[in-house]
């Protein structure tokens, strides 16, 4: 299965231009590249942003000496590692697609990205929420910031939240495109 | 704007049957009712389940005497109230649609349901994660269950998690159907 197809079509294929491009599109291929989708420069920028935010969150949380005593902080670190691996993998695929000028508009590939984005978004968001609950407890409810690294906890949590928010457009775009592609397949067949 | 349309068409409209029903469908109307969509019995069952789970979570958390001292528990209560109001509202719309035999397949209405489901799912999930972080801290990390209502906290948190999981199919179905409907509009015009 070819998961991508060339952006530049060879000139010798002198097929007549289709009357209605939307109807002539091969079934299972998305209609157009929206900004932020895989294989576009803005999509790559989103992935790099997610990777950097997750890395900063991971680094700041790991730099505190007492994160291991709280389960939620350990979970946030695990979630940030997963996020780093996922964003880096998709970014590498994006860079490859941009370098060889192939657009990643295969519906199965976009569905895979949508599922991966949904899972990693849920994991990093849940980690950020759990760590935020603890941070607010230490900072606001118990007023124990003198004994803890409140600033580091808050920085790590806010970076994790920003990472999950930057994942949302990727997820929504990929999910939307997958539904779009499958509706075309359903209409064609 | 009519947000719904009758399921039973009058018999006197003796129009010929369309050759391809998918192509003859009016633009902006979804192709078919999937189980779990608004206006279907399974959709109503999902809404009632969400309402009951959120109510139990709210009742159990409110019954503890010291929830007000932890911000995350107060947030969970607020999220559960929002979830109860949303699920009850959509359940009432579903009951009305089932009673008058109209199916809610308008794309704007389904998009509204998808957005509402996405927001409430995010809110109740974040509340459940934050409260879970605190519960695990009290129960596992600090071993302070003798002084706290650990069983109540755990019950409320697990009900909130189950509520957010029961919201996911509603959200995914509505979002998928919205994209499906908009792709038909794009293909038609």
């Amino acid at each position: 299965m070819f998961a991508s197809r060339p952006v530049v079509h060879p000139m010798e294929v002198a097929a007549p231009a289709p009357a209605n491009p939307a109807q002539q599109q091969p079934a299972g291929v998305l209609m157009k590249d929206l900004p932020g989708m895989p294989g576009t420069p803005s999509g790559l920028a989103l992935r790099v942003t997610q990777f950097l935010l997750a890395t900063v969150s991971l680094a700041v949380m790991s730099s505190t000496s007492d994160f291991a005593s709280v389960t939620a902080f350990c979970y946030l670190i695990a979630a940030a590692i997963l996020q780093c691996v996922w964003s880096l993998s998709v970014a590498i695929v994006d860079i490859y697609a941009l370098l060889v000028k192939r657009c990643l508009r295969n519906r199965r590939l976009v569905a895979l990205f949508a599922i991966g984005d949904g899972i990693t978004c849920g994991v990093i968001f849940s980690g950020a929420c759990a760590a935020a609950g603890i941070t607010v407890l230490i900072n606001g409810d118990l007023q124990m910031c003198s004994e803890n690294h409140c600033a580091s906890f808050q920085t790590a949590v806010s970076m994790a939240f920003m990472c999950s928010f930057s994942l949302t457009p990727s997820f929504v775009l990929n999910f939307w495109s997958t539904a779009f592609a499958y509706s075309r397949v359903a209409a064609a067949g």
Side-chain angles (χ1 to χ4, degrees), chain A:
Chain A
M1 187 191 81
F2 290 104
S4 63
R5 60 196 190 87
V7 175
V8 183
H9 298 279
M11 284 303 288
E12 57 265 33
V13 180
N20 184 347
Q23 287 177 355
Q24 301 291 326
Q25 197 87 14
V29 174
L30 307 182
M31 204 165 63
K32 57 181 176 179
D33 264 347
L34 297 166
M37 276 188 60
T40 61
S42 43
L44 177 61
L46 265 179
R47 295 296 170 187
V48 172
T49 310
Q50 291 157 17
F51 175 72
L52 289 179
L53 288 170
T55 310
V56 171
S57 176
L58 174 62
V60 172
M61 187 54 93
S62 310
S63 69
T64 60
S65 54
D66 50 356
F67 76 86
S69 58
V70 180
T71 310
F73 292 160
C74 298
Y75 178 64
L76 178 62
I77 286 181
I81 291 172
L82 174 72
Q83 184 59 55
C84 286
V85 171
W86 172 253
S87 291
L88 193 63
S89 312
V90 186
I92 289 169
V93 174
D94 276 353
I95 291 170
Y96 172 76
L98 285 170
L99 284 180
V100 301
K101 295 201 193 318
R102 291 181 82 89
C103 55
L104 304 169
R105 290 192 283 184
N106 182 282
R107 68 191 154 98
R108 287 192 186 84
L109 197 70
V110 176
L112 179 74
F113 286 154
I115 293 169
D117 280 338
I119 291 171
T120 52
C121 188
V123 169
I124 191 93
F125 185 67
S126 60
C129 289
I134 306 283
T135 307
V136 170
L137 181 82
I138 296 171
N139 193 10
D141 301 331
L142 302 179
Q143 305 278 349
M144 286 166 62
C145 264
S146 55
E147 306 162 32
N148 291 283
H149 308 87
C150 278
S152 298
F153 296 156
Q154 285 168 345
T155 310
V157 166
S158 42
M159 289 296 145
F161 269 120
M162 284 165 67
C163 180
S164 69
F165 294 150
S166 72
L167 255 171
T168 312
S170 298
F171 168 67
V172 169
L173 271 171
N174 285 334
F175 193 69
W176 185 271
S177 303
T178 309
F180 225 86
Y182 275 92
S183 85
R184 283 195 175 274
V185 173

